[in-house]
Amino acid sequence: MPKSVMCGNELTVYLSGDIDHHSARKIREATDALIQQNQPSVLKLNFGGVNFMDSSGIGLIMGRYRMMLLYGGSVKVVNVPENLRRIMELSGLSGLNVFERSGEFCESVK
């Protein structure tokens, strides 16, 4: 289960390690449960701790993007390492305007 923090109307999910087909499923299920439980208007996916990502990571972002649109919210992808940013940009994510450089404002992380 990824660490997360709810701050105001923003839910930040802290991703770490490798994101592949196996781990993406667990992250997706946990994140979807957090979205349904907290009903944020903004979901921030923090990639600061991610070392590797394959196409499953792109699917993870796209699925949460669609889910948040259904809830009337948005997704922001933050703290992306440069090697992963190139993969994300090549996949077309930059056209969705999801990238954000972000500082942390909340102190408690679950």
Side-chain angles (χ1 to χ4, degrees), residues 50-104:
V50 177
N51 304 313
F52 168 83
M53 179 184 81
D54 64 14
S55 62
S56 300
I58 302 300
L60 174 73
I61 296 168
M62 291 300 299
R64 291 343 87 214
Y65 178 84
R66 286 190 294 272
M67 182 180 209
M68 288 301 294
L69 283 179
L70 290 173
Y71 283 104
S74 63
V75 170
K76 295 297 177 186
V77 179
V78 300
N79 296 329
V80 180
E82 191 58 36
N83 61 322
L84 299 182
R85 180 178 282 273
R86 282 187 297 247
I87 293 168
M88 291 178 184
E89 288 174 349
L90 288 171
S91 73
L93 286 177
S94 55
L96 299 177
N97 196 29
V98 295
F99 294 112
E100 181 178 280
R101 299 205 185 277
S102 173
E104 297 300 327

